[in-house]
Amino acid sequence: MAAETAGIVTGVAEAHPEPISLSADPERALAEAAAALRAGGVVLVPTDTVYGLAALTPGAEEDLFVLKGRPADRSIAVLVADRPAAESLAASVPTPLAELMDHHWPGPLTVVLPRRKAADPQIGGDRDTVGVRCPDHPWLRRLLAGVGPLATTSANRHAQPTPPQAADVLTALPPDPDTGAAIAVAIDGGPCTGEASTVVTWRDDELQVLRPGPLAV
């Protein structure tokens, strides 16, 4: 979806913006990221694991899928500031998953929960569940507290490794010439060299690991 954010018109395939240094100007980074997300843009954010592409609106989520070349039937996770924000998206939270959230959040644990039918954001794929994670990244949690839960996926082409530097992500994910999808604001948080989160759910009265990761649960 075309959206004018931070001087970038995403309806036109232009160059990505210069990254904003998180260490040099965290308040500017926070303000511009929030403004771009609210205006319908895709924002590159550092996390405690790898760089992510974040979206707040349905149109931006469509652009996120385009930039990654990700199949539309594949779900993406939602980053949240805290457990209450996660619960606002869920129809219920099984007790074993609630205990894991309390023990491992903030951290590299994504919990797949039954989805509340009216919950935003609309994140493609399975509309019956939602994967939620609270990142161990104080600046990012400030952003999440300000704008709300964000549909977020690793900043890479589908099935490819995630570059550890913001500049390399921008090179790997150029604006799409057909749709104009582009990264509206890029936050450079330094190297992000972590491992993608462990993903778990509660199914058939047992804990199931959907994707192994840095946490053994």
Side-chain angles (χ1 to χ4, degrees):
M1 172 179 287
E4 188 171 346
T5 53
I8 300 296
V9 180
T10 60
V12 180
E14 300 179 354
H16 287 315
E18 286 295 318
I20 300 170
S21 171
L22 183 58
S23 62
D25 201 342
E27 297 307 316
R28 177 190 169 209
L30 188 68
E32 294 202 18
L37 289 163
R38 292 184 177 117
V42 173
V43 173
L44 175 65
V45 295
T47 80
D48 53 329
T49 56
V50 297
Y51 272 98
L53 297 178
L56 182 64
T57 68
E61 290 156 20
E62 293 173 8
D63 287 351
L64 187 155
F65 275 84
V66 170
L67 286 166
K68 282 182 64 80
R70 188 179 180 90
D73 62 350
R74 297 290 298 273
S75 296
I76 58 176
V78 176
L79 294 185
V80 294
D82 50 31
R83 179 174 158 181
E87 292 173 342
S88 74
L89 302 174
S92 62
V93 181
T95 298
L97 296 184
E99 292 173 349
L100 286 176
M101 292 157 69
D102 287 340
H103 185 70
H104 293 292
W105 279 7
L109 176 72
T110 298
V111 177
V112 178
L113 301 170
R115 180 174 176 163
R116 184 168 61 85
K117 297 304 181 184
D120 289 326
Q122 301 298 319
I123 54 172
D126 180 7
R127 298 305 175 103
D128 295 325
T129 63
V130 59
V132 290
R133 184 170 87 85
C134 178
D136 190 11
H137 193 290
W139 177 88
L140 182 53
R141 291 203 305 278
R142 285 184 64 198
L143 178 64
L144 292 162
V147 302
L150 292 174
T152 310
T153 184
S154 57
N156 55 271
R157 291 293 293 177
H158 180 61
Q160 298 297 314
T162 306
Q165 301 282 358
D168 294 332
V169 171
L170 296 178
T171 299
L173 299 177
D176 182 74
D178 297 323
T179 66
I183 294 170
V185 168
I187 307 303
D188 185 351
C192 290
T193 58
E195 182 181 357
S197 65
T198 302
V199 181
V200 301
T201 193
W202 184 257
R203 184 184 300 155
D204 299 328
D205 293 325
E206 66 177 11
L207 183 70
Q208 298 187 9
V209 177
L210 303 180
R211 182 178 70 192
L215 294 179
V217 295

